[in-house]
């Protein structure tokens, strides 16, 4: 068996876990198939709420080696994300200059550095860069001169290195980690005394208020409230001194923590108060979200029925796209192809649907009537690339809209 059942909360250890969502059986979103008729293995996709610390978490953990040994996703495909990383680099550089003005270059370690998108941007800003990344296919070439360790992050790995980092960044990886204690202990080990840990995760608030259920899949083990994030970091002696909400990936939390006692920003207390007000620690805080999912599905299916027989191409072989297609039961009868700029995805088939993934230039010949935006989080960027086709764009989430 390549997965295990969750019996206690990974943040606080409580066994008071209440199931509030069941999306049925779902294939692994990045396990792309090489044949259209392949039968993709499916796994239960359910969310449990910890009523003690307010962490939402999947009911199972799929073996990370199965999920990440060969990982097709490349962060650098999106120029929006590149810009996001550049802004973060500039911001952290300015913070460093304020506190450590006598040293020229801060050192950063990016955990789960993927294809080094963030590290390249940070190097341009003036950082000394280092990465850790478990997927072998994402290692930079030697001539790129980016030191990346090919491994999962852990306290053991941190101890085996001589890292003393001014910054450790973890964007879109914390929600993927089962053993958060070990991860945070590793961060603490590798941080300089005044170093900052900067972690970004999709924010539960945005998922709930926008009904974006397609960000729920087996890679995302946790769906963080700020309270849960603060609990796990502070348990290991990292004080959270600032929090921001950033728009990337449909709405994310960016949390700053350190071993050093930086003055605690007002944002920390404000967000905790907001979450208490919203009742995120109680199952009844999730009822509307569950209803919204059904409504979103029904609205999309109604539209897809109305355009049956038209040429429909989906843009973005995203992880979330696999969830949307499978949960709504859409197949190649509804969506003829998916296009995506990621070389490792092209020629493969989307799991559970048998829809082929091709290079976006295929659309020039197809002239689709409709483009279904499976990467709705990058709508503006993709729209600029597709508007000349004069197709109607369907944006399924946060709420269904049709752009003519
Ligand atoms: O946490 C995760 C997030 C950050 O990234 C992972 N577990 C997996 C992944 O999720 P996703 O696949 O849903 O992420 P994206 O970035 O929304 O996926 C967009 C897809 O669209 C990618 O395959 C790249 C593609 N794309 C493209 O071909 N042209 C994207 C843009 C913006 C484009 O212009
Ligand atoms: Zn908990």
């Amino acid at each position: 068996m390549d997965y295990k059942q969750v019996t206690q909360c990974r943040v606080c250890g409580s066994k008071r876990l209440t199931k509030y969502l069941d999306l049925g059986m779902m294939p692994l979103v990045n396990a792309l198939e090489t044949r259209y008729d392949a039968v993709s293995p499916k796994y239960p996709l359910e969310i449990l709420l910890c009523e003690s610390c307010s962490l939402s978490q999947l009911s199972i953990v799929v073996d990370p080696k199965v999920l990440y040994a060969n990982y097709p996703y490349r962060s650098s495909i999106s120029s929006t994300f590149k810009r996001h990383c550049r802004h973060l680099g500039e911001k952290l550089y300015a913070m460093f200059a304020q506190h450590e003005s006598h040293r020229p270059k801060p050192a950063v370690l990016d955990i789960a550095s993927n294809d080094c998108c963030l590290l390249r941007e940070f190097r341009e800003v003036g950082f000394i860069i280092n990465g850790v990344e478990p997927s072998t296919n994402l290692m930079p070439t030697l001539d790129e001169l980016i030191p990346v360790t090919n491994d999962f992050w852990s306290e053991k790995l941190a101890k085996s290195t001589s890292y003393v980092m001014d910054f450790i960044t973890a964007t879109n990886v914390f929600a993927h980690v089962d053993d958060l204690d070990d991860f945070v202990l590793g961060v603490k080990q590798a941080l300089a005394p005044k170093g900052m840990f900067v972690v970004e995760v999709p924010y539960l608030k945005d998922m709930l208020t926008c009904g974006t259920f397609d960000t729920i899949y087996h890679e995302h083990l946790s769906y963080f409230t700020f309270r849960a994030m603060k609990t796990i970091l502070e348990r290991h002696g990292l004080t959270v001194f600032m929090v921001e909400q950033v728009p990337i990936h449909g709405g994310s939390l960016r949390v700053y923590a350190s071993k050093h006692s930086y003055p605690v920003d007002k944002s920390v207390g404000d967000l905790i108060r907001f979450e208490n007000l919203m009742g995120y620690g109680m199952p009844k805080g999730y009822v509307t979200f569950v209803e919204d999912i059904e409504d979103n599905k029904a609205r999309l299916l109604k539209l897809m029925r109305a355009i049956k027989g038209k040429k429909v191409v989906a843009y973005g072989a995203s992880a979330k796209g696999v969830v949307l297609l499978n949960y709504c039961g859409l197949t190649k009868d509804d969506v003829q192809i998916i296009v995506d700029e990621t070389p490792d995805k092209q020629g493969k088939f989307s799991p559970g649907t048998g829809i082929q993934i091709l290079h976006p230039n295929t659309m020039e010949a197809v002239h689709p009537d409709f483009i279904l935006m499976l990467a709705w989080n990058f709508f503006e960027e993709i729209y600029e690339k597709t508007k000349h086709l004069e197709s109607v764009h369907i944006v399924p989430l946060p709420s269904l809209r049709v752009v003519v």
Side-chain angles (χ1 to χ4, degrees):
M1 184 128 100
D2 48 9
Y3 72 88
K4 65 176 188 193
Q5 212 72 39
V6 168
T7 53
Q8 61 182 76
C9 173
R10 73 171 56 81
V11 160
C12 73
S14 165
K15 295 194 170 158
R16 279 176 62 215
L17 302 177
T18 311
K19 180 161 92 177
Y20 68 82
L21 181 66
D22 184 350
L23 292 178
M25 300 295 281
M26 188 65 66
L28 302 180
V29 286
N30 274 307
L32 305 181
E33 300 292 355
T34 51
R35 296 167 53 103
Y36 79 94
D37 56 354
V39 182
S40 308
K42 293 186 178 180
Y43 301 77
L45 191 57
E46 304 166 325
I47 300 202
L48 315 175
L49 171 70
C50 172
E51 294 189 43
S52 302
C53 77
S54 79
L55 182 75
S56 283
Q57 50 212 302
L58 290 194
S59 64
I60 63 162
V61 177
V62 177
D63 182 352
K65 292 198 183 83
V66 173
L67 293 173
Y68 304 113
N70 193 310
Y71 198 56
Y73 182 72
R74 286 198 175 13
S75 321
S76 306
I77 297 283
S78 159
S79 48
T80 312
F81 188 68
K82 274 191 197 165
R83 261 198 317 278
H84 172 83
C85 294
R86 173 61 73 105
H87 289 154
L88 176 60
E90 287 166 353
K91 178 162 191 159
L92 299 187
Y93 194 89
M95 286 169 91
F96 179 77
Q98 207 185 349
H99 293 289
E100 304 262 359
S101 49
H102 56 288
R103 283 181 37 218
K105 271 180 170 268
V108 65
L109 169 70
D110 189 32
I111 301 180
S113 47
N114 194 270
D115 63 356
C116 301
C117 178
L118 180 144
L119 290 177
R120 285 193 182 85
E121 296 300 324
F122 273 49
R123 180 162 63 185
E124 300 247 320
V125 172
F127 285 82
I128 300 165
I129 56 172
N130 301 272
V132 173
E133 167 56 51
S135 306
T136 312
N137 63 310
L138 292 170
M139 286 303 102
T141 55
L142 285 178
D143 57 337
E144 287 179 282
L145 296 175
I146 307 180
V148 177
T149 303
N150 187 198
D151 208 342
F152 287 95
W153 180 249
S154 64
E155 187 184 19
K156 185 162 165 243
L157 179 67
K159 283 188 168 157
S160 74
T161 66
S162 50
Y163 290 146
V164 185
M165 293 289 144
D166 298 304
F167 293 97
I168 297 181
T169 49
T171 62
N172 303 303
V173 57
F174 210 60
H176 299 58
V177 175
D178 186 23
D179 191 346
L180 291 174
D181 296 312
D182 181 59
F183 190 100
V184 178
L185 285 169
V187 168
K188 198 175 165 195
Q189 165 78 29
L191 267 184
K194 288 188 171 180
M196 295 180 191
F197 178 43
V198 183
V199 55
E200 284 184 11
V201 286
Y203 189 18
L204 179 98
K205 178 206 94 179
D206 294 299
M207 181 176 89
L208 295 187
T209 52
C210 300
T212 46
F213 68 90
D214 58 347
T215 53
I216 299 169
Y217 45 86
H218 299 100
E219 291 172 17
H220 292 165
L221 300 177
S222 305
Y223 302 81
F224 280 95
T225 55
F226 177 51
R227 172 151 79 97
M229 174 67 81
K230 194 167 175 295
T231 306
I232 186 71
L233 296 178
E234 299 201 329
R235 168 125 59 82
H236 297 294
L238 294 181
T239 306
V240 171
F241 61 90
M242 187 161 76
V243 58
E244 294 168 334
Q245 296 182 57
V246 288
I248 200 75
H249 290 304
S252 300
L253 267 187
R254 181 189 286 158
V255 178
Y256 298 76
S258 179
K259 292 185 274 192
H260 182 70
S261 304
Y262 288 106
V264 178
D265 189 71
K266 182 174 172 300
S267 54
V268 173
D270 285 352
L271 205 52
I272 293 289
R273 260 192 309 282
F274 164 77
E275 290 186 354
N276 289 340
L277 211 60
M278 295 303 284
Y280 288 160
M282 289 171 286
K284 70 174 191 302
Y286 297 81
V287 173
T288 322
F289 172 56
V290 176
E291 288 167 359
D292 286 350
I293 295 175
E294 279 307 311
D295 289 352
N296 286 341
K297 174 179 173 178
R299 271 197 296 272
L300 179 63
L301 287 181
K302 202 165 158 193
L303 175 65
M304 296 306 286
R305 269 197 303 276
I307 63 171
K308 192 101 186 165
K310 305 285 182 203
K311 281 184 277 181
V312 183
V313 168
Y315 203 115
S318 56
K320 61 179 80 63
V322 173
V323 176
L324 186 91
L325 294 171
N326 278 277
Y327 183 66
C328 294
L330 297 172
T331 65
K332 52 186 183 312
D333 294 339
D334 309 284
V335 175
Q336 283 80 66
I337 53 168
I338 303 174
V339 297
D340 195 293
E341 290 176 63
T342 314
D344 283 0
K345 295 186 179 181
Q346 292 160 7
K348 307 262 174 60
F349 295 84
S350 176
T353 64
I355 306 171
Q356 191 165 26
I357 304 162
L358 295 172
H359 191 284
N361 64 15
T362 320
M363 288 196 300
E364 307 295 331
V366 173
H367 290 296
D369 300 308
F370 293 89
I371 299 178
L372 176 62
M373 302 290 296
L374 293 182
W376 50 262
N377 45 324
F378 294 124
F379 173 72
E380 285 78 14
E381 183 177 345
I382 294 171
Y383 184 74
E384 282 308 308
K385 296 177 182 172
T386 53
K387 64 181 182 197
H388 68 282
L389 293 164
E390 298 184 348
S391 313
V392 175
H393 288 70
I394 301 171
V395 190
L397 288 166
S399 54
L400 181 64
R401 76 196 159 97
V402 172
V403 181
V404 183

